[in-house]
Amino acid sequence: MNGKNEINSRYVALKMCLSVIDGGRSLSQVMPEGLAQFQDARNRSFTQNLVLGTLRWQLRLQAICDQLLKKKLKAKDEDINQLILLGLYQILYMETPDHAAVSETVALVSKLKKPWAKGLVNGVLRNFLRDREALCAEVDLKPSYAYSHPQWFFKTIRKAYPQDWQQILSANNEIAPITLRNNRLQQSRDELLESLNKEDQLAEAHPQCTQGIRLLQSMDITGLPGFTEGAFSVQDGAAQQAAELLQPIPGERLLDACAAPGGKTAHLLELADGDLDLLAIEKEPERLDRLAENLHRLGLECDYRVGDAAAPGDWWNHTPFDKILLDAPCSATGIIRRRPDIKWHRTEEDISALCNLQAQILETLWTTLKPGGRLLYATCSVLPQENGLQMQRFLQENRDAREVPITAEWGLQQPLPGRQILPGDSGMDGFYYCLLEKTTG
């Protein structure tokens, strides 16, 4: 990678980090826009690594930076602050030689039109190189800095999981693996594995998913054999448990609430040989477009429409559902390793509002379920307030609801209802499931 391209990559990475931290935008919006500027795969990979890593370790890097600055930078100079963090990340976590990390980072100051900051950035990074071990040791005395998580989240996780909090926080800082879900309507999992490995793609069967395949190296998924033809989908192993737990039967009437981008919708259809009376609703129109694209690629069909799960009057024809999948709006704290911006966008105050919304949707959808029917409540959260405590409250308040115990090799069986997958368990994301049945008596 030549110097010009490297500098360009760093500048794009800086703008992306600023958009997330200072502009409040989500990484899912910022990343595609930023990476689209590169044709070269190496530049894309370098930039993505730099952005994800700097956001992942933002709090630890900021604590180190604060020790090195004589006085805190003003809010209008957040670009200089993020530039310093980018430089520190390269020194600490990347294979970039120290001298290159410093010189290339300092060179970017000219693009920011703040010549006064050149000496500051240079001095901070060089002082870090001199006292690296002592500075890191001092910062890491505080666990929330050492694990780079907001204090409120660190305290919540340590209280909820006294035996597992270190594992959870460590897993959140790891690079997430790529998992595929075989489309069983086109071939068996073994056949897809053979096809992938024939192309020298290192892949293995996922131990916790009947159709799951783990890729052992990072790659462009769209270039794999069978992608365009719909031979498989990209879906984490934890998310693949949803359809397996709901066990759709051909001919059943199902609701997939909050369905986009459609991975679980497609899996339900695949398990029932495409023969379901399935309604998929999604509140955001632009996200529904992604669901439609995914179904089309996989050769699957169902009724899908824009709809608010909390307002069934707009989409329900009053025919009860046999089964409902509620992939509830949540904090997404189980997928931080994929979306490190969640650490810095989610606040403690958000959680109670999310819990209220989940409770409202639960109560509403329960009225659309037929007696004897089943509802699977799912979140990609690790917070008990959204998961076990939410289910405990619902079961106490709804006497026609009973929990169907989940027996599985994955996840934690807790005193509270449901089953919790922790981030990193069998390489999976953090997910929660609780299966409910509507009693007939």
Side-chain angles (χ1 to χ4, degrees), residues 181 183 227-230 232-234 259-266 269-270 287-301 304:
R181 187 192 72 245
N183 181 355
F227 175 81
T228 304
E229 297 77 17
F232 61 86
S233 300
V234 179
K264 300 180 185 71
T265 314
L269 288 164
E270 290 167 13
R287 298 193 76 222
L288 195 68
D289 291 341
R290 286 188 61 200
L291 181 145
E293 291 168 8
N294 284 329
L295 290 180
H296 178 73
R297 183 179 63 82
L298 294 165
L300 299 168
E301 294 181 358
Y304 55 85

Side-chain angles (χ1 to χ4, degrees), residues 6 10 46 49 89-98 100-101:
E6 250 186 334
R10 288 178 170 88
F46 178 85
N49 185 355
Y89 176 74
Q90 292 167 70
I91 293 169
L92 273 170
Y93 297 102
M94 295 182 76
E95 295 178 356
T96 310
D98 290 349

Side-chain angles (χ1 to χ4, degrees), residues 279-283 288 303-307 314-317:
L279 171 61
I281 60 169
E282 172 55 47
K283 191 175 181 180
L288 195 68
D303 181 8
Y304 55 85
R305 62 185 74 172
V306 175
D314 298 333
W315 48 262
W316 185 42
N317 64 4

Side-chain angles (χ1 to χ4, degrees), residues 89-153:
Y89 176 74
Q90 292 167 70
I91 293 169
L92 273 170
Y93 297 102
M94 295 182 76
E95 295 178 356
T96 310
D98 290 349
H99 66 88
V102 174
S103 62
E104 299 289 1
T105 303
V106 171
L108 283 183
V109 175
S110 60
K111 283 184 171 287
L112 302 178
K113 297 181 170 57
K114 294 183 178 179
W116 58 267
K118 194 167 185 177
L120 174 69
V121 174
N122 185 60
V124 166
L125 295 180
R126 292 194 180 281
N127 286 337
F128 175 69
L129 289 175
R130 276 194 291 271
D131 298 319
R132 180 189 320 210
E133 289 187 15
L135 288 163
C136 289
E138 178 67 24
V139 162
D140 291 344
L141 290 174
K142 187 172 182 179
S144 70
Y145 289 166
Y147 289 98
S148 195
H149 282 71
Q151 182 71 6
W152 76 266
F153 185 76

